[in-house]
Amino acid sequence: MRLLIAIFLAAPLFAQQPASPGSEEVQAQTPAPAPAQPAAPAQAAQTAAPAAAASPAPSTEPWITGGMFFGYRGVTNVGGSFQEYRSVVDLGSGLKLFDLNFTIQDPKKKYFDRIDGWASGWGDDPYSTAHVNARKLGIYDFSFDYRNLAYFNAVPSFANPLAPAGFDEQSFDIRKHIMSVDLSLFSGKHISPYLAFDRNSDSGNGIEPWAQDANNSYPVPTLLRDSTNNYRAGVRFEYNRFHVTLEQGGTTYKDDDQAYDNTYQPGDRTTPVLGQTLFLSSLTQAYGIRGSSIYSKGLLTARPASWIDVYAQFLYSQPKSNVNFSEIAGGNFLNLASLLFYSGQVTIGTGAANQPHTTANAGFELRPFRRLRILESVMTDRAHDAASPLVAEELLLSPTTTAANVLTALNFTQYVNYNQQEVNAIFDVSHGMTARVGYRAVWGDAQVFAGSLSQTGLVVPGQLRRNIALAGFTYLPSQKLSVNLDFEGGGSDNIYFRTSLNNYYKGRARARYQATKTLSLQANFQILDNQNPAPDIRLDFRSQSTALTLYWTPEKPKWISVMAQYDRSTLRSDIDYLSLPFYVPAVSAYRDNANTGTSAVDITPPALKGAKLTMGGSFFISAGFYGAESRPTRYYQPLARLSLPIVKNVYWDTEWQYYGFGESFYLYEGFRTHIFTTGLRITR
Amino acid sequence: MLRFGRGHRARATVLGVLIAFAAARAQEKEKAPAYVGSETCQACHEDLFNAFQKNPHHLVETDKKYNHTGQACESCHGPGGKHAESMNAADIRNPSKLKPGETDRLCLTCHLYQPTHVGRINNSHAKNQVSCVSCHAIHKNGPNGLVARRAVDINTQCAGCHADVWARFQRPYQHRLANATTMPEGAMSCVDCHNPHGSVYRNMQTVDANEPGCFKCHGDKRGPFTFEHPPMRLEGCTACHEPHGSANPRMLTRPQVMYVCLECHANLPGPVAPANGTLGVVPPAFHDTRQPRFQNCTLCHSKVHGSYVSPELLK
């Protein structure tokens, strides 16, 4: 239905007068009639404004241009795991509107200068998008964006293969609706108000494991529904030497997830406990979470003198949540602490959380000499949190007998303070050579919730202190060659987590070379090395990536162009940890060594004007080694696409794409399928 | 008298200096190249002139606010008098051939407002000499205006430099970026998560109010929860996820969930107190991780991003 509506809406595009040759951009480059004689400089300056104002777009230009691509996609039977296919690819068969784009121009420029729109993936595709932008220069700019995304995730290897009830992992089959509307008004000379609204929502079904202490967990069907609305409005004050932006906004949030099940569920546990089998026979669970937030922003940028730019920004938000939760479960359960079997439990949860969050930053760019720039910035981010959860749990020993209530009533505060100061000096060594050195200090402290397992208290303190050296180098000797190096290395006195950046360095090198007029090469190299030699951690982490890219668009023959890219990445991570259940020290070793390639070869046969054949795709092959945690994977996506002209501005496009996925350790997750697409592409 | 005489001489000296300075400035002004107006430019650069009529920067030509009415070309290229006489390219400023920092300053003459300006000072593009014109084609027209706007075009442009990041998106578990080669129907673009002009957060992350931009789509992970999981606030999503793409399901940093968790939740005893105390090291009970049902911690601790009712993040 949506497809039909989309086609119907797009129909006027093609009901206009015959298209003029070439696209808008081609027309823009087409020489216009003979130029007027150049006026004398002063005179020209005086007369230019009215002349320019009276220069509308050429009247021969169509007021609407665009194109659309619609047709049919067929997916062959998916070999292997269909769940995995849906989790990774999820394309389906049927009639589709693959692409629609249009530009409407008003020659009189009465209500708008132009409206641009585009849409893709309509017809029950997993990723449907629509975008409209309308603007009138100097008056307003309006944009609307909508996306409807399917999120399916049910990965077999994440579930317990021994679960008697089958698939037991938390999984999702939901739709995400994301919308944003933005309107900026340029009504005055210096004052520009703007409005914005964003909304994202999730709705669909899933499976949620319901855990009964550490004894057992039961997969139950879940209805997932949540939404967030963001409102913003502000005013920009723009003057020659400074600008101020004031913005106020708010957020509302609600989460109404529900779970309901009245079937017998043996759960994950396959063995009886103390001679009894644990099971879930009924569950009714409902969340009613409501949230709201206010948000304020102030921004100042200024250029008080030609040698200095300054800025300062202040952001404040105060998100709050209110909790309403209820749950009734029936079955045969065990309270391990008292070795008591019981037949049901009722849980009521309420509470609130309040999280004022302040962010401020300021800085300047100083240019004391022509070749030297000094960039200074400071930032502070302070999130405080006050939570007061109240959870009452009552165990039903029998339908008429209850045990003592378990009441969890807490009231605690948390905070996370983060500060950063950075200075960089950038020196232009010569016209094409620039060097940069800098220093960054990061420090902060936190007091955070440590969970009920904490042996030291409900909340625990943490510290962060890090000193970082920065450097960079850019060499642009000509338009043909560019080289860029970027380095950062630091040491930490305190970190928050065992895997945090501690004694580390990261570097990046990038070079681009235009070898000939038709051949361009690019090389990228990136490395991150992080070490924590503390005897209880012994973290040794290094990741590297090297990428080479080639673009070749020969003049002879002109009918071929090639893009090819290859990337080699390696990751090595070793860290000590405690292996459960016997708390034996062990090493978590992770390896991920990957080869990735993408290519696209475009062939436009000279004998068949307008036809185009594209071949290419991508591959990803990763490996680890036996004994290390890794997930050796092969993922292939080759494709071939043929576009043939039928009549003027109408093309018949056909595409074949193969998806092949396989894993060495989880053979049952592999899948493969062929996808064929055919349709008409119409342009104007 | 003496005092008056000294004061008189002093005033005369100051006045003389000011007159000399004014004369020098006047001479400078006389020598300064003259503006010739856009119509003069049109005589030779007619293709650019015609295309410019539909360009967003055409506003400079007509709006007095920018102080370059009728001189839009020269607002960026500088006074064109000398160039108009000599017809020599060396006699006029070409922003694309300036040093990146100078090009940026030229653009910021007008674009000195949020979020552009703050970004240009803060961000790694500016620090690595990637100027405005690296991404913005100033003379270009069409639906994309001065810069790519469709997701597939944006991603292609970013991938032009960030080839290694592009490779990550060829992995099976990734955010669905529109990709001209393999996934034209993808819905996301790089600028959904990164602001190329800069951000208060690292890696040029977009922001949603003063929270990381991830919550713009994943609003259910924002909270505040009554029982928070601290890494969410202290390290962000990348503590556990690789948002560009991974071989591991759900873009996790490890193939099995328990390793994501146990690498932090491990209070290994050391010979001395840890050099740098870390959070969350209490191990998660006596679960037998040899059993499949304990290898995936989120099988039970499903509210790992934060819970409203369970301190163990169970529900």
Side-chain angles (χ1 to χ4, degrees):
Chain A
M1 185 62 193
R2 281 176 293 190
L3 177 67
L4 290 174
I5 292 170
I7 294 172
F8 176 74
L9 289 173
L13 271 174
F14 311 100
Q16 310 302 324
Q17 58 192 325
S20 60
S23 67
E24 179 197 341
E25 287 181 38
V26 173
Q27 287 167 6
Q29 291 165 9
T30 306
Q37 290 293 321
Q43 190 186 351
Q46 289 167 5
T47 57
S55 301
S59 58
T60 54
E61 190 176 328
W63 63 274
I64 183 165
T65 55
M68 72 186 300
F69 175 33
F70 60 94
Y72 182 83
R73 180 194 293 129
V75 181
T76 62
N77 283 339
V78 176
S81 169
F82 187 66
Q83 275 189 338
E84 185 68 17
Y85 167 78
R86 286 205 63 196
S87 299
V88 174
V89 182
D90 208 16
L91 294 173
S93 300
L95 282 172
K96 314 281 177 189
L97 174 66
F98 298 109
D99 185 68
L100 169 72
N101 64 84
F102 63 86
T103 297
I104 302 170
Q105 295 188 78
D106 179 8
K108 294 179 182 173
K109 302 190 176 185
K110 192 173 180 183
Y111 299 111
F112 60 89
D113 292 343
R114 62 187 297 152
I115 298 174
D116 296 303
W118 54 84
S120 65
W122 289 89
D124 203 28
D125 251 13
Y127 327 111
S128 307
T129 65
H131 185 98
V132 175
N133 177 246
R135 55 187 178 272
K136 184 168 170 59
L137 276 181
I139 304 295
Y140 73 87
D141 194 334
F142 170 81
S143 68
F144 168 82
D145 190 83
Y146 175 74
R147 303 177 207 192
N148 182 342
L149 314 180
Y151 177 48
F152 181 92
N153 194 295
V155 180
S157 65
F158 262 39
N160 174 9
L162 303 178
F167 191 83
D168 65 340
E169 166 56 5
Q170 185 185 38
S171 65
F172 306 93
D173 186 3
I174 61 175
R175 281 272 172 183
K176 269 188 177 299
H177 302 267
I178 302 164
M179 181 182 75
S180 67
V181 184
D182 211 313
L183 174 66
S184 295
L185 300 170
F186 310 104
S187 52
K189 190 177 177 185
H190 297 293
I191 299 174
S192 305
Y194 60 91
L195 298 164
F197 170 70
D198 302 325
R199 175 180 168 82
N200 77 72
S201 63
D202 297 333
S203 60
N205 300 299
I207 293 174
E208 188 85 29
W210 184 77
Q212 193 270 308
D213 289 342
N215 301 314
N216 208 344
S217 69
Y218 309 88
V220 292
T222 312
L223 181 67
L224 299 159
R225 285 181 302 180
D226 67 77
S227 63
T228 307
N229 298 309
N230 292 308
Y231 311 85
R232 288 186 294 124
V235 185
R236 292 193 187 103
F237 300 90
E238 301 178 16
Y239 292 87
N240 288 336
R241 286 197 178 273
F242 73 92
H243 291 80
V244 174
T245 299
L246 300 174
E247 185 176 299
Q248 186 70 37
T251 300
T252 61
Y253 170 72
K254 67 176 182 179
D255 181 342
D256 290 323
D257 290 356
Q258 292 178 9
Y260 176 77
D261 194 18
N262 62 356
T263 57
Y264 175 84
Q265 289 266 19
D268 275 338
R269 192 174 195 118
T270 51
T271 53
V273 187
L274 302 174
Q276 291 199 33
T277 302
L278 303 178
F279 63 88
L280 173 75
S281 57
S282 67
L283 177 76
T284 304
Q285 185 189 65
Y287 289 85
I289 313 298
R290 295 292 179 270
S292 64
S293 175
I294 55 159
Y295 157 66
S296 304
K297 173 180 172 177
L299 169 69
L300 164 73
T301 61
R303 183 171 285 179
S306 62
W307 45 272
I308 185 169
D309 293 340
V310 297
Y311 72 89
Q313 185 171 223
F314 176 80
L315 301 156
Y316 176 78
S317 64
Q318 191 172 9
K320 297 175 181 177
S321 297
N322 284 301
V323 180
N324 279 297
F325 173 82
S326 64
E327 177 186 278
I328 303 172
N332 189 30
F333 309 128
L334 171 65
N335 185 331
L336 263 184
S338 58
L339 294 179
L340 187 69
F341 284 95
Y342 60 97
S343 61
Q345 68 180 62
V346 178
T347 308
I348 303 288
T350 182
N354 184 359
Q355 197 172 66
H357 186 182
T358 308
T359 308
N361 66 337
F364 61 80
E365 179 180 315
L366 196 66
R367 296 178 287 274
F369 308 106
R370 199 169 62 86
R371 291 186 168 200
L372 179 65
R373 284 181 285 155
I374 297 171
L375 277 61
E376 166 75 33
S377 67
V378 291
M379 178 215 181
T380 184
D381 185 86
R382 292 165 183 272
H384 288 214
D385 185 287
S388 51
L390 174 65
V391 182
E393 196 171 71
E394 188 169 59
L395 308 185
L396 305 173
L397 300 176
S398 70
T400 54
T401 322
T402 61
N405 286 352
V406 179
L407 191 69
T408 308
L410 301 172
N411 196 341
F412 56 93
T413 57
Q414 305 173 87
Y415 61 81
V416 178
N417 295 328
Y418 177 89
N419 305 287
Q420 178 178 304
Q421 186 263 332
E422 181 175 328
V423 61
N424 280 279
I426 301 175
F427 185 70
D428 295 324
V429 182
S430 65
H431 180 76
M433 193 184 294
T434 305
R436 171 172 58 86
V437 290
Y439 166 75
R440 183 192 301 149
V442 172
W443 70 101
D445 57 339
Q447 178 177 281
V448 293
F449 178 69
S452 57
L453 291 168
S454 171
Q455 293 152 3
T456 56
L458 199 63
V459 290
V460 291
Q463 296 279 327
L464 175 67
R465 261 171 228 293
R466 196 175 283 152
N467 294 292
I468 302 153
L470 309 165
F473 177 78
T474 306
Y475 184 48
L476 303 163
S478 69
Q479 298 275 17
K480 286 187 173 182
L481 176 66
S482 69
V483 179
N484 176 256
L485 307 174
D486 188 15
F487 173 84
E488 134 176 8
S492 306
D493 297 327
N494 294 95
I495 53 174
Y496 286 135
F497 299 111
R498 300 172 90 243
T499 52
S500 298
L501 288 177
N502 188 56
N503 294 331
Y504 78 100
Y505 67 86
K506 56 182 173 184
R508 186 172 54 218
R510 182 173 293 138
R512 183 181 288 176
Y513 179 56
Q514 186 82 38
T516 66
K517 200 175 175 182
T518 60
L519 179 65
S520 173
L521 302 166
Q522 186 183 315
N524 285 32
F525 174 74
Q526 189 161 343
I527 185 169
L528 168 62
D529 186 285
N530 184 27
Q531 304 291 325
N532 191 336
D536 56 326
I537 297 174
R538 295 198 301 170
L539 169 68
D540 177 9
F541 177 95
R542 173 176 283 199
S543 73
Q544 280 179 221
S545 171
T546 307
L548 297 169
T549 311
L550 174 150
Y551 299 96
W552 184 52
T553 48
E555 288 185 338
K556 285 183 182 177
K558 262 190 171 179
W559 47 267
I560 188 168
S561 69
V562 178
M563 185 284 291
Q565 187 183 86
Y566 169 74
D567 177 88
R568 167 69 177 165
S569 67
T570 59
L571 192 155
R572 182 198 73 217
S573 173
D574 294 314
I575 184 170
D576 285 3
Y577 80 108
L578 275 177
S579 176
L580 303 177
F582 302 116
Y583 290 87
V584 179
V587 176
S588 170
Y590 176 59
R591 302 289 183 273
D592 182 21
N593 303 324
N595 298 285
T596 310
T598 56
S599 69
V601 179
D602 290 330
I603 298 169
T604 49
L608 198 55
K609 195 180 175 187
K612 185 177 173 185
L613 174 66
T614 302
M615 293 180 295
S618 73
F619 70 86
F620 166 73
I621 301 169
S622 73
F625 67 83
Y626 189 76
E629 286 305 316
S630 58
R631 203 177 185 99
T633 303
R634 288 166 185 264
Y635 186 40
Y636 302 103
Q637 304 173 76
L639 68 84
R641 189 181 297 142
L642 179 65
S643 181
L644 292 171
I646 301 175
V647 293
K648 190 178 179 183
N649 296 332
V650 180
Y651 300 83
W652 176 36
D653 284 11
T654 307
E655 183 182 295
W656 161 82
Q657 187 159 19
Y658 172 77
Y659 289 93
F661 176 84
E663 292 186 335
S664 303
F665 295 161
Y666 305 98
L667 295 172
Y668 53 89
E669 283 194 345
F671 67 82
R672 62 222 143 263
T673 189
H674 298 268
I675 293 182
F676 296 93
T677 303
T678 186
L680 292 178
R681 182 184 296 278
I682 306 168
T683 61
R684 174 182 161 81
Chain B
M1 281 294 285
L2 188 62
R3 197 180 298 158
F4 175 76
R6 274 184 183 169
H8 182 72
R9 278 197 296 274
R11 277 194 290 273
T13 308
V14 170
L15 191 64
V17 169
L18 285 175
I19 290 169
F21 183 71
R25 293 283 296 172
Q27 207 171 3
E28 262 180 35
K29 273 189 178 174
E30 278 174 22
K31 283 181 184 173
Y35 284 89
V36 294
S38 301
E39 284 203 337
T40 305
C41 308
Q42 179 192 10
C44 297
H45 305 283
E46 183 154 20
D47 50 343
L48 291 175
F49 181 89
N50 288 340
F52 194 73
Q53 306 307 309
K54 292 180 290 178
N55 187 292
H57 278 130
H58 187 251
L59 196 62
V60 178
E61 189 84 11
T62 54
D63 195 332
K64 290 178 182 174
K65 175 179 165 182
Y66 300 99
N67 297 327
H68 279 287
T69 312
Q71 300 168 341
C73 306
E74 292 163 295
S75 67
C76 294
H77 289 278
K82 194 175 175 186
H83 171 70
E85 285 173 14
S86 68
M87 304 286 187
N88 187 343
D91 287 335
I92 195 162
R93 181 202 293 155
N94 185 344
S96 68
K97 291 183 179 173
L98 291 175
K99 283 184 280 189
E102 290 176 359
T103 309
D104 288 353
R105 268 203 300 286
L106 191 61
C107 300
L108 292 173
T109 306
C110 295
H111 295 282
L112 194 67
Y113 64 89
Q114 161 288 339
T116 312
H117 186 257
V118 173
R120 293 311 294 175
I121 289 181
N122 268 328
N123 85 24
S124 54
H125 275 157
K127 287 172 190 164
N128 287 302
Q129 312 303 306
V130 180
S131 72
C132 306
V133 294
S134 302
C135 303
H136 296 274
I138 305 303
H139 293 142
K140 195 179 171 188
N141 273 321
N144 285 333
L146 303 178
V147 69
R149 291 192 189 276
R150 297 194 65 173
V152 72
D153 300 328
I154 292 168
N155 299 338
T156 303
Q157 186 167 40
C158 298
C161 292
H162 299 277
D164 49 335
V165 179
W166 189 243
R168 302 288 304 189
F169 283 100
Q170 309 310 317
R171 297 184 172 217
Y173 303 99
Q174 21 89 352
H175 277 113
R176 306 306 170 111
L177 245 63
N179 172 342
T181 310
T182 52
M183 193 176 279
E185 68 279 359
M188 290 184 68
S189 76
C190 304
V191 299
D192 288 329
C193 303
H194 299 281
N195 182 347
H197 299 132
S199 164
V200 292
Y201 292 115
R202 61 184 175 223
N203 297 330
M204 299 194 284
Q205 280 183 60
T206 51
V207 293
D208 184 27
N210 54 349
E211 303 284 350
C214 312
F215 297 132
K216 201 165 184 176
C217 296
H218 301 280
D220 56 324
K221 311 288 188 297
R222 179 203 298 266
F225 300 101
T226 43
F227 298 103
E228 299 244 325
H229 194 197
M232 288 280 292
R233 303 287 165 199
L234 295 168
E235 300 262 299
C237 307
T238 53
C240 304
H241 296 281
E242 293 179 336
H244 290 153
S246 172
N248 306 321
R250 300 192 179 173
M251 294 183 267
L252 287 173
T253 53
R254 297 290 180 270
Q256 278 187 296
V257 179
M258 70 173 187
Y259 291 105
V260 179
C261 305
L262 292 177
E263 288 190 3
C264 282
H265 291 287
N267 60 347
L268 274 166
V272 291
N276 37 20
T278 48
L279 297 169
V281 293
V282 178
F286 292 91
H287 296 320
D288 186 352
T289 53
R290 294 167 302 179
Q291 293 184 26
R293 76 189 191 92
F294 288 115
Q295 289 174 359
N296 180 357
C297 307
T298 51
L299 205 64
C300 294
H301 302 276
S302 55
K303 299 295 181 187
V304 71
H305 299 107
S307 169
Y308 293 107
V309 284
S310 168
E312 296 90 2
L313 312 180
L314 295 170
K315 57 182 84 167

